[in-house]
Amino acid sequence: MCILMLDASEGIADQDASIAGYLLEAGRAVVVAVNKWDRVDAAERERVRSEFDRKLHFLRFARVHFVSALEATGIGALMKSVNEAHA
């Protein structure tokens, strides 16, 4: 079970896609957490979603959660998905 943590303020980096590829090849259950969602405006959020669809299209099966670790928002739903993926 892996949580792939992405930084919304940085976008989807090539390194993120490489790590995601390793997770897929290893056959791991994956849940995606896009952190720092509270720091980006609506246009940036749309750009991050678009980049995710383009660069990480092979993870469309994974549940994606937009969270803020600083404000502790979205963490409960993230952990619920982690438990479901682990099961």
Coordinates of all heavy atoms in Angstrom, one line a residue:
M1 N 0.8 -1.2 0.0 CA 0.0 0.0 0.0 C 0.9 1.2 0.0 O 1.8 1.3 0.8 CB -0.9 -0.1 1.2 CG -1.7 1.2 1.5 SD -2.9 1.4 0.3 CE -2.5 3.0 -0.3
C2 N 0.7 2.1 -0.9 CA 1.5 3.3 -1.0 C 0.6 4.6 -1.2 O -0.5 4.5 -1.9 CB 2.4 3.3 -2.2 SG 3.6 2.0 -2.1
I3 N 1.0 5.6 -0.6 CA 0.3 6.9 -0.8 C 1.3 7.7 -1.6 O 2.4 8.0 -1.1 CB 0.0 7.7 0.5 CG1 -1.0 6.9 1.4 CG2 -0.5 9.1 0.2 CD1 -1.2 7.5 2.8
L4 N 0.9 8.1 -2.8 CA 1.8 8.9 -3.6 C 1.4 10.4 -3.3 O 0.3 10.8 -3.6 CB 1.5 8.6 -5.1 CG 2.3 9.5 -6.1 CD1 3.8 9.3 -5.9 CD2 1.9 9.2 -7.5
M5 N 2.3 11.1 -2.7 CA 2.1 12.4 -2.2 C 2.6 13.4 -3.3 O 3.8 13.4 -3.6 CB 2.7 12.7 -0.9 CG 2.5 14.1 -0.3 SD 0.9 14.4 0.3 CE 1.0 13.5 1.8
L6 N 1.8 14.2 -3.8 CA 2.2 15.3 -4.8 C 2.0 16.6 -4.2 O 1.2 16.8 -3.3 CB 1.3 15.1 -6.0 CG 1.2 13.7 -6.7 CD1 0.2 13.7 -7.8 CD2 2.6 13.3 -7.2
D7 N 2.8 17.6 -4.6 CA 2.7 18.9 -4.1 C 2.0 19.8 -5.1 O 2.5 20.1 -6.2 CB 4.2 19.4 -3.9 CG 4.3 20.8 -3.3 OD1 3.3 21.6 -3.4 OD2 5.3 21.1 -2.7
A8 N 0.8 20.3 -4.8 CA 0.0 21.1 -5.7 C 0.7 22.4 -6.1 O 0.5 22.8 -7.3 CB -1.4 21.4 -5.1
S9 N 1.5 22.9 -5.2 CA 2.1 24.2 -5.6 C 3.3 24.0 -6.5 O 3.7 25.0 -7.2 CB 2.6 24.9 -4.3 OG 3.6 24.1 -3.6
E10 N 3.8 22.8 -6.7 CA 4.8 22.5 -7.6 C 4.3 21.8 -8.9 O 5.1 21.7 -9.9 CB 5.9 21.5 -7.0 CG 6.5 22.1 -5.8 CD 7.5 23.2 -6.1 OE1 8.1 23.2 -7.1 OE2 7.6 24.2 -5.3
G11 N 3.1 21.4 -9.0 CA 2.6 20.7 -10.1 C 3.1 19.2 -10.1 O 3.6 18.8 -9.1
I12 N 2.9 18.6 -11.2 CA 3.3 17.2 -11.3 C 4.6 17.1 -12.0 O 4.8 17.4 -13.2 CB 2.2 16.3 -12.2 CG1 0.8 16.6 -11.7 CG2 2.6 14.9 -12.2 CD1 0.5 16.2 -10.3
A13 N 5.6 16.7 -11.3 CA 7.0 16.7 -11.8 C 7.3 15.4 -12.5 O 6.6 14.4 -12.3 CB 8.0 16.9 -10.6
D14 N 8.3 15.3 -13.3 CA 8.7 14.1 -14.0 C 9.0 13.0 -13.0 O 8.8 11.9 -13.2 CB 9.8 14.4 -14.9 CG 9.4 15.2 -16.1 OD1 8.2 15.3 -16.5 OD2 10.3 15.8 -16.8
Q15 N 9.6 13.5 -11.9 CA 10.0 12.5 -10.8 C 8.8 11.9 -10.2 O 8.8 10.7 -9.9 CB 10.8 13.3 -9.7 CG 11.3 12.4 -8.6 CD 12.5 11.5 -9.0 OE1 13.1 11.8 -10.0 NE2 12.8 10.5 -8.2
D16 N 7.7 12.6 -10.1 CA 6.4 12.1 -9.6 C 5.9 10.9 -10.5 O 5.5 9.9 -10.1 CB 5.3 13.1 -9.5 CG 5.7 14.2 -8.5 OD1 6.3 14.0 -7.5 OD2 5.3 15.4 -8.7
A17 N 6.0 11.2 -11.8 CA 5.6 10.2 -12.8 C 6.5 8.9 -12.7 O 6.0 7.8 -12.8 CB 5.6 10.8 -14.2
S18 N 7.8 9.1 -12.5 CA 8.7 8.0 -12.4 C 8.4 7.1 -11.2 O 8.3 5.9 -11.3 CB 10.1 8.5 -12.3 OG 10.5 9.1 -13.5
I19 N 8.1 7.8 -10.1 CA 7.8 7.1 -8.9 C 6.5 6.3 -9.0 O 6.3 5.2 -8.7 CB 7.8 8.0 -7.6 CG1 9.2 8.5 -7.3 CG2 7.1 7.3 -6.4 CD1 9.2 9.7 -6.4
A20 N 5.5 7.0 -9.6 CA 4.2 6.3 -9.9 C 4.4 5.1 -10.8 O 3.7 4.1 -10.6 CB 3.3 7.3 -10.6
G21 N 5.2 5.2 -11.8 CA 5.5 4.1 -12.6 C 6.1 2.9 -11.9 O 5.7 1.7 -12.1
Y22 N 7.0 3.2 -10.9 CA 7.6 2.1 -10.1 C 6.5 1.4 -9.2 O 6.5 0.2 -9.1 CB 8.7 2.7 -9.2 CG 10.0 3.1 -9.9 CD1 10.6 4.3 -9.6 CD2 10.5 2.3 -10.9 CE1 11.7 4.7 -10.3 CE2 11.7 2.7 -11.6 CZ 12.3 3.9 -11.3 OH 13.4 4.3 -11.9
L23 N 5.6 2.2 -8.7 CA 4.6 1.7 -7.9 C 3.7 0.8 -8.7 O 3.3 -0.3 -8.2 CB 3.7 2.8 -7.3 CG 4.4 3.8 -6.3 CD1 3.5 4.9 -5.9 CD2 4.9 3.0 -5.1
L24 N 3.4 1.2 -9.9 CA 2.5 0.4 -10.8 C 3.2 -0.9 -11.1 O 2.6 -2.0 -11.1 CB 2.2 1.2 -12.0 CG 1.1 0.6 -12.9 CD1 -0.2 0.5 -12.2 CD2 1.0 1.4 -14.2
E25 N 4.5 -0.8 -11.5 CA 5.3 -2.0 -11.9 C 5.4 -3.0 -10.7 O 5.4 -4.2 -10.9 CB 6.7 -1.6 -12.3 CG 6.7 -1.0 -13.7 CD 8.1 -0.5 -14.1 OE1 9.1 -0.9 -13.4 OE2 8.1 0.3 -15.0
A26 N 5.4 -2.5 -9.5 CA 5.6 -3.3 -8.3 C 4.2 -3.9 -7.9 O 4.2 -4.7 -7.0 CB 6.2 -2.5 -7.1
G27 N 3.2 -3.5 -8.5 CA 1.8 -4.0 -8.2 C 1.3 -3.6 -6.9 O 0.5 -4.3 -6.3
R28 N 1.7 -2.4 -6.4 CA 1.2 -1.9 -5.2 C -0.2 -1.2 -5.3 O -0.5 -0.6 -6.3 CB 2.2 -0.8 -4.6 CG 3.6 -1.4 -4.4 CD 3.5 -2.4 -3.3 NE 4.9 -2.9 -3.0 CZ 5.1 -4.0 -2.3 NH1 4.1 -4.6 -1.8 NH2 6.3 -4.4 -2.2
A29 N -1.0 -1.3 -4.3 CA -2.2 -0.5 -4.2 C -1.7 0.9 -4.0 O -0.8 1.2 -3.2 CB -3.0 -1.0 -3.0
V30 N -2.4 1.9 -4.7 CA -2.0 3.3 -4.6 C -3.2 4.2 -4.4 O -4.2 4.0 -5.0 CB -1.3 3.7 -6.0 CG1 -0.9 5.2 -6.0 CG2 -0.1 2.8 -6.3
V31 N -2.9 5.1 -3.5 CA -3.9 6.2 -3.3 C -3.0 7.5 -3.5 O -1.9 7.6 -3.0 CB -4.5 6.2 -1.8 CG1 -5.3 7.4 -1.6 CG2 -5.3 4.9 -1.7
V32 N -3.6 8.5 -4.2 CA -2.8 9.7 -4.5 C -3.4 10.8 -3.6 O -4.6 11.0 -3.4 CB -3.0 10.1 -5.9 CG1 -2.3 11.4 -6.2 CG2 -2.5 9.0 -6.9
A33 N -2.4 11.5 -3.0 CA -2.7 12.7 -2.1 C -2.1 13.9 -2.8 O -0.8 13.9 -2.9 CB -2.3 12.5 -0.7
V34 N -2.8 14.9 -3.1 CA -2.3 16.1 -3.7 C -2.3 17.1 -2.5 O -3.4 17.6 -2.2 CB -3.1 16.6 -4.9 CG1 -2.5 17.9 -5.5 CG2 -3.2 15.5 -6.0
N35 N -1.2 17.4 -2.0 CA -1.1 18.2 -0.8 C -0.9 19.7 -1.2 O -0.7 20.1 -2.3 CB 0.1 17.8 0.0 CG 0.2 18.4 1.4 OD1 -0.9 18.7 2.0 ND2 1.4 18.6 1.9
K36 N -1.1 20.6 -0.2 CA -1.0 22.0 -0.3 C -2.1 22.6 -1.2 O -2.0 23.6 -1.9 CB 0.4 22.5 -0.8 CG 1.5 22.1 0.1 CD 2.8 22.6 -0.3 CE 3.9 22.1 0.6 NZ 5.2 22.5 0.2
W37 N -3.3 21.9 -1.3 CA -4.4 22.3 -2.1 C -4.9 23.7 -1.6 O -5.5 24.4 -2.4 CB -5.5 21.2 -2.0 CG -6.4 21.2 -3.1 CD1 -7.8 21.4 -3.1 CD2 -6.1 21.1 -4.5 NE1 -8.3 21.3 -4.3 CE2 -7.3 21.1 -5.2 CE3 -5.0 20.8 -5.3 CZ2 -7.4 21.0 -6.6 CZ3 -5.1 20.7 -6.6 CH2 -6.3 20.8 -7.3
D38 N -4.7 24.0 -0.4 CA -5.2 25.3 0.2 C -4.3 26.4 -0.3 O -4.7 27.6 -0.3 CB -5.1 25.3 1.7 CG -3.7 24.9 2.2 OD1 -3.1 24.0 1.7 OD2 -3.2 25.6 3.2
R39 N -3.2 26.2 -0.9 CA -2.2 27.2 -1.4 C -2.4 27.6 -2.8 O -1.8 28.6 -3.3 CB -0.8 26.8 -1.2 CG -0.4 26.7 0.3 CD 1.1 26.4 0.3 NE 1.6 26.7 1.7 CZ 2.8 26.8 1.9 NH1 3.7 26.7 1.0 NH2 3.2 27.1 3.2
V40 N -3.2 26.9 -3.6 CA -3.3 27.2 -5.0 C -4.7 27.7 -5.3 O -5.7 27.3 -4.7 CB -3.0 25.9 -5.9 CG1 -1.6 25.5 -5.7 CG2 -3.9 24.7 -5.5
D41 N -4.7 28.6 -6.3 CA -6.0 29.2 -6.7 C -6.7 28.3 -7.7 O -6.2 27.3 -8.1 CB -5.8 30.6 -7.3 CG -4.9 30.7 -8.5 OD1 -4.8 29.6 -9.2 OD2 -4.3 31.7 -8.8
A42 N -7.9 28.7 -8.1 CA -8.7 27.9 -9.0 C -8.0 27.6 -10.3 O -8.1 26.4 -10.8 CB -10.1 28.6 -9.3
A43 N -7.3 28.5 -10.9 CA -6.6 28.3 -12.2 C -5.5 27.2 -12.0 O -5.3 26.3 -12.8 CB -6.1 29.6 -12.8
E44 N -4.8 27.4 -10.9 CA -3.7 26.4 -10.6 C -4.3 25.0 -10.3 O -3.7 24.0 -10.7 CB -2.9 26.9 -9.4 CG -1.6 26.2 -9.2 CD -0.6 26.3 -10.2 OE1 -0.7 27.2 -11.1 OE2 0.4 25.6 -10.2
R45 N -5.4 25.0 -9.7 CA -6.0 23.7 -9.4 C -6.4 23.0 -10.7 O -6.2 21.8 -10.8 CB -7.3 23.9 -8.5 CG -6.9 24.2 -7.1 CD -8.2 24.5 -6.3 NE -7.8 24.8 -4.9 CZ -8.6 24.9 -3.9 NH1 -9.9 24.6 -4.1 NH2 -8.2 25.2 -2.7
E46 N -6.9 23.7 -11.6 CA -7.3 23.1 -12.9 C -6.0 22.7 -13.7 O -6.0 21.6 -14.3 CB -8.0 24.2 -13.8 CG -8.6 23.6 -15.1 CD -9.5 22.4 -14.9 OE1 -10.3 22.3 -13.9 OE2 -9.4 21.4 -15.7
R47 N -4.9 23.4 -13.6 CA -3.7 23.1 -14.2 C -3.1 21.8 -13.6 O -2.7 20.9 -14.3 CB -2.6 24.2 -14.1 CG -1.4 23.9 -14.8 CD -0.3 24.9 -14.6 NE 0.2 24.9 -13.3 CZ 1.1 24.1 -12.8 NH1 1.6 23.1 -13.5 NH2 1.5 24.2 -11.5
V48 N -3.2 21.6 -12.3 CA -2.7 20.4 -11.6 C -3.6 19.2 -12.0 O -3.0 18.1 -12.3 CB -2.7 20.6 -10.1 CG1 -2.5 19.3 -9.4 CG2 -1.7 21.6 -9.6
R49 N -4.9 19.4 -12.1 CA -5.8 18.3 -12.5 C -5.4 17.9 -14.0 O -5.4 16.7 -14.3 CB -7.2 18.7 -12.4 CG -7.7 18.7 -11.0 CD -9.2 19.0 -10.9 NE -9.8 18.8 -9.6 CZ -10.3 19.8 -8.9 NH1 -10.4 21.0 -9.4 NH2 -10.8 19.5 -7.7
S50 N -5.2 18.8 -14.8 CA -4.9 18.6 -16.2 C -3.5 17.8 -16.3 O -3.4 16.9 -17.1 CB -4.9 19.9 -17.0 OG -4.5 19.7 -18.3
E51 N -2.5 18.3 -15.6 CA -1.2 17.7 -15.6 C -1.3 16.2 -15.1 O -0.7 15.3 -15.6 CB -0.2 18.4 -14.7 CG 0.4 19.6 -15.3 CD 1.5 20.1 -14.4 OE1 1.6 19.8 -13.2 OE2 2.3 21.0 -15.0
F52 N -2.2 16.0 -14.1 CA -2.3 14.7 -13.5 C -2.9 13.7 -14.6 O -2.4 12.6 -14.8 CB -3.3 14.7 -12.3 CG -3.5 13.3 -11.7 CD1 -2.6 12.9 -10.7 CD2 -4.5 12.5 -12.1 CE1 -2.7 11.6 -10.1 CE2 -4.6 11.2 -11.5 CZ -3.7 10.8 -10.6
D53 N -3.9 14.2 -15.3 CA -4.5 13.4 -16.4 C -3.6 13.1 -17.5 O -3.6 12.0 -18.1 CB -5.8 14.1 -16.9 CG -7.0 14.1 -16.0 OD1 -7.0 13.3 -15.0 OD2 -7.9 14.9 -16.2
R54 N -2.7 14.1 -17.8 CA -1.7 13.9 -18.9 C -0.5 13.1 -18.5 O -0.2 12.1 -19.2 CB -1.3 15.3 -19.4 CG -0.4 15.2 -20.6 CD -0.1 16.6 -21.2 NE 0.2 17.6 -20.2 CZ 1.5 17.8 -19.7 NH1 2.5 17.1 -20.2 NH2 1.7 18.8 -18.9
K55 N 0.1 13.4 -17.3 CA 1.3 12.7 -16.9 C 1.1 11.4 -16.2 O 2.0 10.5 -16.2 CB 2.2 13.6 -16.1 CG 2.7 14.8 -16.9 CD 3.6 15.7 -16.0 CE 4.2 16.8 -16.7 NZ 5.1 17.7 -15.9
L56 N 0.0 11.3 -15.5 CA -0.3 10.1 -14.6 C -1.5 9.4 -15.1 O -2.2 8.8 -14.3 CB -0.3 10.5 -13.2 CG 0.9 11.2 -12.6 CD1 0.7 11.6 -11.2 CD2 2.1 10.3 -12.7
H57 N -1.8 9.4 -16.4 CA -3.0 8.8 -16.9 C -3.1 7.3 -16.5 O -4.2 6.8 -16.4 CB -3.1 8.9 -18.4 CG -1.9 8.4 -19.1 ND1 -1.9 7.1 -19.5 CD2 -0.7 9.0 -19.5 CE1 -0.7 6.8 -20.1 NE2 0.0 8.0 -20.1
F58 N -2.0 6.7 -16.3 CA -1.9 5.2 -16.0 C -2.4 5.0 -14.5 O -2.5 3.8 -14.1 CB -0.5 4.6 -16.3 CG 0.6 5.4 -15.6 CD1 1.0 5.1 -14.3 CD2 1.2 6.4 -16.3 CE1 2.0 5.7 -13.7 CE2 2.3 7.1 -15.7 CZ 2.7 6.8 -14.4
L59 N -2.6 6.0 -13.8 CA -3.1 5.9 -12.4 C -4.5 6.3 -12.2 O -5.0 6.6 -11.1 CB -2.2 6.7 -11.4 CG -0.9 6.2 -11.1 CD1 -0.2 7.1 -10.0 CD2 -0.9 4.8 -10.6
R60 N -5.3 6.3 -13.3 CA -6.7 6.7 -13.3 C -7.5 5.8 -12.4 O -8.6 6.3 -11.9 CB -7.3 6.8 -14.7 CG -6.8 8.0 -15.4 CD -7.6 8.3 -16.7 NE -7.1 9.4 -17.3 CZ -6.8 9.5 -18.6 NH1 -7.1 8.4 -19.4 NH2 -6.3 10.6 -19.2
F61 N -7.1 4.6 -12.1 CA -7.8 3.7 -11.2 C -7.7 4.1 -9.8 O -8.5 3.7 -8.9 CB -7.2 2.3 -11.4 CG -5.8 2.1 -10.9 CD1 -5.6 1.8 -9.6 CD2 -4.8 2.3 -11.8 CE1 -4.3 1.6 -9.1 CE2 -3.5 2.2 -11.3 CZ -3.2 1.8 -10.0
A62 N -6.6 4.9 -9.4 CA -6.3 5.2 -8.0 C -7.3 6.3 -7.6 O -7.6 7.2 -8.3 CB -4.9 5.7 -7.9
R63 N -7.6 6.3 -6.3 CA -8.4 7.4 -5.7 C -7.4 8.5 -5.5 O -6.3 8.4 -5.0 CB -9.0 6.9 -4.4 CG -10.1 5.9 -4.7 CD -11.0 5.8 -3.5 NE -12.1 4.9 -3.8 CZ -12.8 4.3 -2.9 NH1 -12.6 4.5 -1.6 NH2 -13.8 3.5 -3.3
V64 N -7.9 9.7 -5.8 CA -7.1 10.9 -5.6 C -7.8 11.8 -4.6 O -9.0 12.1 -4.7 CB -7.0 11.7 -7.0 CG1 -6.2 13.0 -6.8 CG2 -6.4 10.8 -8.1
H65 N -7.0 12.3 -3.7 CA -7.6 13.2 -2.6 C -6.8 14.5 -2.7 O -5.5 14.5 -2.7 CB -7.5 12.6 -1.3 CG -8.4 11.4 -1.1 ND1 -9.7 11.5 -0.8 CD2 -8.2 10.1 -1.4 CE1 -10.2 10.3 -0.8 NE2 -9.3 9.4 -1.2
F66 N -7.5 15.6 -2.6 CA -6.8 16.9 -2.5 C -6.9 17.4 -1.1 O -8.0 17.5 -0.5 CB -7.6 17.9 -3.4 CG -7.6 17.4 -4.9 CD1 -8.7 16.7 -5.4 CD2 -6.5 17.6 -5.7 CE1 -8.7 16.2 -6.7 CE2 -6.5 17.1 -7.0 CZ -7.6 16.5 -7.5
V67 N -5.7 17.5 -0.5 CA -5.6 17.7 1.0 C -4.7 18.9 1.3 O -4.0 19.4 0.5 CB -5.0 16.4 1.6 CG1 -5.8 15.2 1.3 CG2 -3.6 16.2 1.2
S68 N -4.8 19.3 2.6 CA -3.9 20.2 3.2 C -3.5 19.7 4.5 O -4.2 19.6 5.4 CB -4.7 21.6 3.4 OG -3.8 22.4 4.2
A69 N -2.2 19.3 4.5 CA -1.7 18.7 5.8 C -1.6 19.8 6.8 O -1.9 19.6 8.0 CB -0.3 18.2 5.5
L70 N -1.3 21.0 6.4 CA -1.2 22.2 7.3 C -2.5 22.4 8.0 O -2.6 22.6 9.2 CB -0.7 23.4 6.6 CG -0.6 24.7 7.4 CD1 0.6 24.5 8.4 CD2 -0.3 25.9 6.6
E71 N -3.6 22.4 7.3 CA -5.0 22.7 7.8 C -5.7 21.4 8.2 O -6.8 21.5 8.6 CB -5.8 23.5 6.8 CG -5.2 24.9 6.6 CD -6.0 25.7 5.6 OE1 -7.1 25.3 5.2 OE2 -5.6 26.8 5.3
A72 N -5.1 20.3 7.9 CA -5.7 19.0 8.2 C -7.0 18.8 7.6 O -8.0 18.2 8.1 CB -5.8 18.8 9.8
T73 N -7.1 19.2 6.3 CA -8.4 19.0 5.5 C -8.2 17.9 4.5 O -7.1 17.7 3.9 CB -8.8 20.3 4.8 OG1 -7.7 20.7 3.9 CG2 -9.1 21.4 5.8
G74 N -9.2 17.0 4.4 CA -9.1 15.9 3.5 C -8.4 14.7 4.0 O -8.4 13.7 3.3
I75 N -7.9 14.7 5.2 CA -7.1 13.6 5.7 C -8.0 12.4 6.1 O -7.6 11.3 5.8 CB -6.2 14.1 6.9 CG1 -5.4 15.3 6.6 CG2 -5.4 12.9 7.5 CD1 -4.4 15.1 5.5
G76 N -9.1 12.7 6.6 CA -10.0 11.6 7.0 C -10.4 10.8 5.8 O -10.4 9.5 5.8
A77 N -10.8 11.4 4.7 CA -11.2 10.7 3.5 C -10.0 10.0 2.8 O -10.2 8.9 2.3 CB -11.8 11.7 2.4
L78 N -8.8 10.6 2.9 CA -7.6 10.0 2.4 C -7.4 8.7 3.2 O -7.1 7.6 2.6 CB -6.4 10.9 2.6 CG -5.0 10.3 2.3 CD1 -4.9 9.9 0.8 CD2 -4.0 11.3 2.7
M79 N -7.5 8.7 4.5 CA -7.2 7.5 5.3 C -8.3 6.4 5.1 O -7.9 5.2 5.1 CB -7.1 7.8 6.8 CG -5.8 8.7 7.0 SD -4.3 8.2 6.3 CE -4.1 6.6 7.1
K80 N -9.5 6.8 4.8 CA -10.5 5.8 4.5 C -10.2 5.1 3.2 O -10.3 3.9 3.1 CB -11.9 6.5 4.3 CG -13.0 5.6 4.0 CD -14.3 6.3 3.9 CE -15.4 5.3 3.6 NZ -16.7 5.9 3.3
S81 N -9.7 5.9 2.2 CA -9.3 5.3 0.9 C -8.1 4.4 1.1 O -8.0 3.3 0.4 CB -9.0 6.3 -0.1 OG -10.2 7.0 -0.5
V82 N -7.2 4.7 2.0 CA -6.0 3.9 2.3 C -6.5 2.6 2.8 O -6.0 1.5 2.4 CB -5.0 4.6 3.2 CG1 -4.0 3.7 3.8 CG2 -4.3 5.8 2.5
N83 N -7.4 2.6 3.8 CA -7.8 1.4 4.4 C -8.6 0.5 3.4 O -8.4 -0.7 3.4 CB -8.8 1.7 5.6 CG -8.0 2.3 6.8 OD1 -6.9 2.0 7.0 ND2 -8.7 3.1 7.6
E84 N -9.4 1.1 2.5 CA -10.1 0.4 1.5 C -9.1 -0.3 0.5 O -9.3 -1.4 0.1 CB -11.1 1.2 0.8 CG -12.3 1.6 1.6 CD -13.2 2.7 1.0 OE1 -12.9 3.1 -0.1 OE2 -14.2 3.0 1.7
A85 N -8.1 0.5 0.1 CA -7.1 0.0 -0.9 C -6.3 -1.1 -0.3 O -5.9 -2.1 -0.9 CB -6.2 1.1 -1.4
H86 N -6.0 -1.0 1.0 CA -5.2 -2.0 1.7 C -6.0 -3.3 1.8 O -5.4 -4.4 1.7 CB -4.8 -1.6 3.1 CG -4.0 -2.5 3.8 ND1 -4.5 -3.4 4.7 CD2 -2.6 -2.8 3.8 CE1 -3.5 -4.2 5.2 NE2 -2.4 -3.8 4.6
A87 N -7.3 -3.2 2.0 CA -8.2 -4.4 2.1 C -8.2 -5.1 0.8 O -8.3 -6.3 0.7 CB -9.5 -4.0 2.6

